[in-house]
Amino acid sequence: MKKLIIISLLFINILVTAQKRELGEVTVAELNEKVFPTDTSASAAVLFNIGKTHFEYSGDDGFSIVTEIITKIKIYKKEGYRYANHTERYYVGGSGQEKVIFTKAATYNLVNGKIEKTKLSSDGEFIEQSNKFWSRKKITMPNVREGSIIEYKVTITSPFFSNFPEWEFQKTIPVNYTEYTTQIPEYFVYNTHFKGFQIPVITKDSKQRQIDYTYTEKFVPGLNTGTPQRIKTSLEFKEETVKYKLINVPALKLEAYTNNIDNYKASIQHERAMTRYPNSPIEAYATDWESVTRKIYNSEYFGDELKKTGYFEKDLDAILSQVSAREERIAVIFNYVKARMNWNEYSGIACIDGVKKAYQEKKGNVAEINLMLTAMLRYAGIEANPVLLSTRDNGISLYPSQSAFNYVITAVESQESVALLDATNKFSLPNILPVHDLNWFGRIIRSNESSVQINLMPKFNSKEVTNIICSLDSEGNVVGKIRNQYFDYNAFIFRVNNDGISKESHMEKLEKSHQGLEVSEYDVQNERDLSKPIVENYNFTSNNSVEIIGDKIYVSPFLFFAIQKNPFNQEVREYPVDFIFPNQNKFNVALNIPEGYIVETLPQPKAVSMPEGLANFKYNITNTEKVVQLNYTIDINSAIIGSEYYDALKAFFKELVNKQTEKIVLKKG
């Protein structure tokens, strides 16, 4: 039987390898296919994605990197329409510019049994400028419907040898076949870095290559006469070809409590290590984090902007004139920048318009706002330094490079501690950063240009306390009062999510989140006083929290707050579990039982802990005359729990769900 399976897999592999993978080769059978064979839930699938990166040479401009990609995608469901669009980001700033060209883009449909081809028109192609350094070219394929096949070719030309593209073998939809080829001249050396859990088949070859080209002769006084001539010549070198291939790559599916899913996507990156031109010394580029941060710090768009102070000195002197204590000066400056400045939603480690203009216009990108904050703190005699980081949506870098960072915050250092500040968000506090900042590690750059890694993840538990006093009647209705208190990150998230929302909208959100719930007399306190926790009070009536079977009543003391389903239900977890920040949830419930009823069954107290103290919960319940009282606490003590603890975490949440859904049984007495 095993031999039969192996032979079958080999036969499938041969069939897949033998298929023609060219644009324009669309069949009726492909268009008729209703589901993807190996993943029937897929809304779309990549039939093939084939790329090649090679080097071209011009006598006038030298080498450039050219990447050509052909892609063919099948759309199965309406949810898959978004895969009929494609975007390429490219560099347009500085002395050199990248180019992106889409060709052979078309949509295929089956109409009355015949294949209909619709080509991409000019109005389906767009260019968006992100900032003065980067642009995006987008295509939106025409005439897309369920069953369509779309395909296109994209060519990316870059003069920057460090901008070797990342090749993604894996997508958020299944990939039937993916292949990536690199052809690299002997003059260039790259380190390769793999990411993810899919391992490609790799083949290598090398051969001599010759490029014929022309160039304009250089003018040499006394030697050249007349018009400069175009000279024909050739360049011959050894070229290494490496091919990476994968078949039947499963979709990268988002699992519960996952950071940026791209961190785990199967891909390959090339890091420029050195150049070794003939008759020239070897030039090394592979670097370390210290060198990268030093280069950033000395940039005119970073370090030079940080040194500027004249634009704010007069204003700052005025607001600090009556403030002497260090902690108070930090708070005054931080609050001043938060109140004055407005973030334009642009990330990046470079100042685009500069701190002076941003200050005057009261708007800037993240670098302008937080470098401004750092400069003000230093001016006030506070030891403050910028911190480079990569936001959650930017992912984790596999090797040291400037592109690893896309964000700047501020660190205030003392002998005892480090406080992290981000003035782009009105609700942030020292060590309460916007969630997109919480991405493993950053690097502090000090004024002497040294740098050190710093952990960005919160180490303290942010609390949420829920107090419920309620009464149950014999008809199964529950009436009561709820008081929620949100501390630290829980308060920050509440403020961000509910800023500007009316009380009526608050009530509507609560009612929509719990079926059969009616909310009244809603009130929230401390929305703007960041020094205090958010306090939320409301009355409620619920008619969907109780089961009545015969003469018995079944009710969970958690009412509509009970977690009904284990969020960790897959057999194997490859990614770390990311809770964003450590947290503690407390429930204190006093449930008055109806007249004429007594408690027949009461859940048993229980305490459960994970290994290494990563998480624990304590469940204690008592019955005193007509009142059932619950005291429950759950602590998630680490923001990130590694996949090696997944089985323990899964078992922990199974116990948690069992206790939260366990019923008190009341009978007539």
Side-chain angles (χ1 to χ4, degrees), residues 42-46 73-74 83 170-175 249-252:
S43 62
V46 177
I73 298 174
K74 168 76 176 184
Y83 296 102
Q170 196 170 23
K171 309 287 185 182
T172 53
I173 52 176
V175 178
V249 184
L252 187 72

Side-chain angles (χ1 to χ4, degrees), residues 218-351:
K218 293 182 179 178
F219 178 75
V220 180
L223 293 179
N224 302 91
T225 59
T227 305
Q229 300 296 307
R230 294 292 290 176
I231 307 299
K232 291 184 178 181
T233 187
S234 63
L235 180 66
E236 189 171 334
F237 51 87
K238 184 180 178 181
E239 183 177 73
E240 183 179 56
T241 299
V242 183
K243 183 176 289 187
Y244 307 88
K245 183 175 68 174
L246 273 168
I247 62 173
N248 298 327
V249 184
L252 187 72
K253 295 185 178 180
L254 186 65
E255 297 176 351
Y257 300 98
T258 300
N259 193 339
N260 186 346
I261 194 70
D262 287 344
N263 289 330
Y264 316 107
K265 183 183 293 182
S267 65
I268 182 172
Q269 295 178 7
H270 287 74
E271 172 196 10
R272 183 171 63 157
M274 68 176 71
T275 56
R276 48 188 183 192
Y277 293 117
N279 304 315
S280 299
I282 292 175
E283 190 167 358
Y285 295 98
T287 187
D288 54 31
W289 289 115
E290 282 281 341
S291 301
V292 168
T293 53
R294 190 179 302 115
K295 188 173 182 180
I296 293 170
Y297 194 83
N298 289 322
S299 162
E300 63 177 305
Y301 299 107
F302 191 96
D304 288 357
E305 293 291 323
L306 181 57
K307 294 172 186 174
K308 296 176 181 177
T309 62
Y311 63 94
F312 64 70
E313 290 180 2
K314 185 177 179 180
D315 293 338
L316 203 61
D317 288 341
I319 66 171
L320 292 176
S321 60
Q322 303 299 318
V323 182
S324 58
R326 177 181 181 274
E327 295 303 318
E328 191 176 355
R329 291 168 79 83
I330 293 170
V332 166
I333 293 171
F334 187 36
N335 290 333
Y336 174 69
V337 176
K338 285 196 299 177
R340 180 186 180 92
M341 299 304 298
N342 296 284
W343 184 34
N344 61 13
E345 302 295 328
Y346 283 112
S347 298
I349 58 174
C351 296

